[in-house]
């Protein structure tokens, strides 16, 4: 079982594991991009949220 699978199952996991660290960085980048959009950029925001959902 991977650390990500353990995390999603609610089990103890190693949060410093490389794959999880990579996912956190990607998610953080997407959140920063989302926060730079205005409320009028609904299509851009929707696309960013869909990408964020994909990672998890």
């Amino acid at each position: 079982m991977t650390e990500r699978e353990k995390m999603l199952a609610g089990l103890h996991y190693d949060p410093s594991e490389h794959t999880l660290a990579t996912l956190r960085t990607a998610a953080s980048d997407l959140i920063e991009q989302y926060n730079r959009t205005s409320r009028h950029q609904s299509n851009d925001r929707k696309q960013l949220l869909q990408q964020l959902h994909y990672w998890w």
Side-chain angles (χ1 to χ4, degrees), residues 17-33 52 55-56:
E17 190 265 333
H18 177 72
T19 301
L20 292 178
T22 300
L23 288 171
R24 273 193 309 278
T25 299
S28 179
D29 291 345
L30 288 170
I31 291 166
E32 285 182 31
Q33 290 176 44
L52 183 61
W55 287 107
W56 297 101

Side-chain angles (χ1 to χ4, degrees), residues 1-55:
M1 182 176 263
T2 67
E3 296 303 308
R4 183 175 184 271
E5 290 169 335
K6 290 177 190 175
M7 178 190 70
L8 293 174
L11 302 173
H12 290 282
Y13 65 96
D14 178 7
S16 65
E17 190 265 333
H18 177 72
T19 301
L20 292 178
T22 300
L23 288 171
R24 273 193 309 278
T25 299
S28 179
D29 291 345
L30 288 170
I31 291 166
E32 285 182 31
Q33 290 176 44
Y34 180 89
N35 286 336
R36 285 193 302 261
T37 63
S38 77
R39 61 189 168 105
H40 303 291
Q41 294 174 287
S42 59
N43 289 336
D44 293 337
R45 286 179 155 211
K46 182 179 178 180
Q47 181 182 17
L48 289 166
L49 291 175
Q50 287 172 339
Q51 289 177 40
L52 183 61
H53 183 297
Y54 171 77
W55 287 107

